[in-house]
Amino acid sequence: MPTTGLALHTDKYQINMIYAHWMNGTHLRRTVFEAYFRKLPFGNGYAVFAGLERIVDYIRQLRFTDEDLAYLDKQEENYKPEFLELLRNFEFKGTLLSMAEGALCFPNEPLIRVEGTIMETQLIETALLNFMNFQTLIATKASRVKRVAENDVLLEFGTRRAQEADAAIWGARAAYLAGFDGTSNLLAGEIFGIPTRGTHAHSWVQIFDSEQEAFELYAKALPDQVSLLVDTYDTLKSGVPHAIRTGKMLEAAGKRLASIRLDSGDLAYLSIQARKMLDDAGLPYVKIVASNDLDENTIFNLKAQGAKIDIWGVGTQLITAADQPALGGVYKLVEREKDGQMVPTIKISGNPEKVTTPGRKDVLRIVSKDSGKAIADYICFPHEQQARTGGKLRLFDPVHPYIKKSVKNYEAVSMLQPIFVDGQLVYKLPTLDEIREYHREQLNLFWPEYLRKLNPEIYRISLSQEAWELKQKMIEEYMGQHED
């Protein structure tokens, strides 16, 4: 979907803060922000980072149009004309580092780091979070579904239940990069090259005098890709027998019935019976497709009941992330310019989980050279070298420091890559198939215990000693200043 004309895709307070900075002469002060989330969605053991391609397109095309400025000129704040002229000439000249799409990521580690003037870093916050939060959420949900249907075909069927067109299109992309095999949405197929799949609706059957007539006419129209919806009237007494008759008709013409689809009823029982009927009729090659409010939980349970389903059409529960409709990612200031120098800054909160970790940070994935598996993610300052040079590393839990271990014989993989440097795009966006392959590689880095759907093992996220000590020092300084 187009990313042009999105300069005003922001919260009004962003413009108001930039205006106040401009009025006070601080709008060019240097800052560093980091985007991350505090809690994994769906009770999962990991999240799947997505949304970078749209963020890149947004930043590359970020300009205020005459219409945008005319609209701002009408606001009750009465922005000065000189400020609107400043916006007219705005271009992002900052630096942005990010994880790659398809990366496995975890709470409280920077997924994106933005460096630039307060005007630049503040303006892009809302859109950046919008794109990152939604696509990461859907990619994570899709990856969960893939974990329970590893060897089956997964189709994204959610367009009509998505929250508008953008959600449908970019949600289909997020699902595909996390392991889905196709989508029903043709526009997503056209824009991103995602394979498209479809059957027919109940209305196709209802409009004809008989189900058999409907099936035969559909098969004659599309003989090379026939998938028949068999639950319009009675799945086992009507739908499947008529589909079998149509399959035999196709065989006589040198073609094959591709699949039947179940969209209601007891999917486990119906699929088992339908499979037996198809096999007994000499049609073992015909696949069984299931839909009807499926998600990772229903698919897991259906498999436990022995369901004979080859292809899963997952719609509403995926595209709306129905059991957790928001990721909750945040964008926090970690460094600011003071007297010409960059200094760390911290946010203190009555909610301990909302206390930020000061200073710009890198994320290093610590991978054992012995097992080839990830041990932990290590968050440190850019100048710290111990992990990068392979020195003996002490890992500890930032919340419970007594939980610790030492590691050696590892590789430290830098997870944050430069995307924009001083406003110039320096990153070559990968193809969607390359992202899918990278996601598979990421999954292979982790032991199954971290990937399982139920009660996953908690993956270690460790702060460097220096980062942890700075955080404690700044908390103590703040508390000392505000003691009675």
Side-chain angles (χ1 to χ4, degrees):
M1 298 295 283
T3 317
T4 55
L6 291 182
L8 293 185
H9 182 49
T10 187
D11 294 305
K12 191 175 190 181
Y13 80 168
Q14 308 286 17
I15 299 295
N16 284 347
M17 285 189 290
I18 294 169
Y19 182 72
H21 275 296
W22 177 75
M23 288 290 290
N24 287 282
T26 57
H27 63 293
L28 298 181
R29 188 172 289 177
R30 304 292 296 178
T31 53
V32 179
F33 281 80
E34 291 175 350
Y36 59 95
F37 60 87
R38 298 187 181 106
K39 185 179 179 181
L40 284 163
F42 317 115
N44 208 42
Y46 63 93
V48 180
F49 177 69
L52 178 60
E53 182 171 316
R54 193 160 200 203
I55 291 169
V56 168
D57 289 344
Y58 160 75
I59 291 176
R60 290 176 70 185
Q61 302 180 58
L62 183 52
R63 303 288 188 278
F64 286 88
T65 65
D66 290 341
E67 292 78 10
D68 295 335
L69 298 172
Y71 178 72
L72 288 174
D73 193 36
K74 298 175 184 176
Q75 300 304 301
E76 61 186 0
E77 284 79 4
N78 294 315
Y79 306 119
K80 289 181 179 294
E82 297 88 345
F83 174 69
L84 299 181
E85 281 303 305
L86 179 69
L87 295 183
R88 184 188 303 278
N89 297 312
F90 175 84
E91 290 183 36
F92 182 81
K93 297 294 186 183
T95 293
L96 184 147
L97 296 90
S98 174
M99 288 195 178
E101 289 195 277
L104 267 60
C105 54
F106 302 91
N108 299 309
E109 61 182 15
L111 310 181
I112 299 173
R113 191 172 86 219
V114 184
E115 306 170 5
T117 66
I118 188 64
M119 182 176 179
E120 293 166 330
T121 56
Q122 203 76 74
L123 180 61
I124 69 172
E125 173 184 359
T126 301
L128 182 150
L129 285 177
N130 178 214
F131 304 146
M132 180 193 87
N133 280 338
F134 175 71
Q135 293 191 48
T136 298
L137 187 73
I138 302 305
T140 304
K141 184 73 169 176
S143 190
R144 276 174 64 78
V145 176
K146 183 66 175 175
R147 299 283 67 71
V148 301
E150 201 73 60
N151 300 313
D152 301 339
V153 174
L154 295 170
L155 304 176
E156 184 278 315
F157 276 4
T159 295
R160 62 189 62 195
R161 304 287 173 76
Q163 281 88 349
E164 253 287 355
D166 273 18
I169 302 303
W170 290 95
R173 178 184 181 277
Y176 185 68
L177 74 83
F180 269 56
D181 299 286
T183 178
S184 64
N185 190 293
L186 284 171
L187 187 53
E190 179 186 26
I191 294 172
F192 301 121
I194 303 171
T196 56
R197 297 280 291 273
T199 57
H200 63 73
H202 293 103
S203 60
W204 172 264
V205 176
Q206 292 173 273
I207 206 166
F208 295 99
D209 291 337
S210 72
E211 189 174 49
Q212 187 64 55
E213 180 188 11
F215 284 178
E216 289 183 6
L217 290 175
Y218 190 79
K220 288 176 182 177
L222 296 162
D224 295 315
Q225 191 52 251
V226 184
S227 183
L228 301 175
L229 181 59
V230 296
D231 72 329
T232 304
Y233 302 120
D234 187 297
T235 299
L236 299 181
K237 293 181 179 179
S238 174
V240 176
H242 288 148
I244 289 171
R245 190 177 304 172
T246 305
K248 292 297 185 182
M249 180 196 78
L250 284 165
E251 279 190 342
K255 303 289 184 179
R256 279 189 165 190
L257 175 63
S259 61
I260 62 170
R261 177 159 73 98
L262 307 172
D263 190 49
S264 60
D266 186 333
L267 295 179
Y269 173 76
L270 292 175
S271 67
I272 291 169
Q273 297 304 312
R275 180 75 274 156
K276 184 175 187 305
M277 293 168 70
L278 290 166
D279 291 350
D280 289 348
L283 301 174
Y285 54 82
V286 176
K287 305 295 184 184
I288 297 179
V289 183
S291 51
N292 189 24
D293 274 348
L294 299 174
D295 65 6
E296 68 273 29
N297 299 309
T298 51
I299 293 173
F300 181 84
N301 290 333
L302 284 166
K303 283 183 165 293
Q305 296 170 57
K308 301 296 184 181
I309 296 168
D310 308 291
I311 303 169
W312 306 87
V314 188
T316 304
Q317 303 297 316
L318 169 64
I319 205 67
T320 65
D323 46 342
Q324 185 176 327
L327 178 65
V330 295
Y331 184 86
K332 296 301 179 184
L333 180 68
V334 295
E335 274 189 16
R336 63 189 177 96
E337 184 181 359
K338 181 180 180 182
D339 300 326
Q341 300 294 319
M342 297 301 292
V343 298
T345 183
I346 190 170
K347 175 183 179 290
I348 305 291
S349 173
N351 299 110
E353 71 276 6
K354 292 190 174 183
V355 177
T356 61
T357 300
R360 77 184 73 192
K361 297 173 290 296
D362 286 338
V363 180
L364 304 179
R365 185 146 295 164
I366 308 302
V367 180
S368 169
K369 289 184 178 180
D370 295 324
S371 66
K373 299 295 185 182
I375 300 170
D377 279 9
Y378 185 72
I379 301 173
C380 62
F381 297 132
H383 67 262
E384 294 187 79
Q385 293 300 312
Q386 185 176 10
R388 301 175 210 272
T389 57
K392 185 177 179 182
L393 200 59
R394 181 171 174 267
L395 305 176
F396 64 91
D397 187 293
V399 179
H400 306 290
Y402 68 89
I403 301 175
K404 55 190 175 182
K405 66 180 294 187
S406 294
V407 297
K408 54 185 179 179
N409 196 30
Y410 62 85
E411 178 185 6
V413 180
S414 182
M415 297 301 292
L416 295 180
Q417 305 175 39
I419 310 298
F420 289 92
V421 175
D422 297 330
Q424 297 298 310
L425 181 64
V426 297
Y427 179 75
K428 185 179 184 298
L429 288 169
T431 67
L432 199 47
D433 284 337
E434 287 171 339
I435 295 171
R436 281 166 59 86
E437 179 58 32
Y438 176 68
H439 177 58
R440 285 191 287 266
E441 292 170 359
Q442 283 281 290
L443 290 168
N444 288 335
L445 276 180
F446 290 82
W447 295 106
E449 290 81 2
Y450 298 116
L451 306 179
R452 63 192 179 210
K453 185 176 80 73
L454 295 175
N455 301 314
E457 180 64 24
I458 297 173
Y459 182 68
R460 291 175 181 267
I461 307 297
S462 297
L463 282 179
S464 71
Q465 186 75 31
E466 185 176 344
W468 186 81
E469 288 177 354
L470 176 63
K471 183 174 184 177
Q472 302 310 309
K473 177 175 175 287
M474 293 187 73
I475 292 172
E476 289 172 9
E477 287 176 352
Y478 176 85
M479 300 305 292
Q481 292 169 5
H482 293 82
E483 286 180 354
D484 294 334

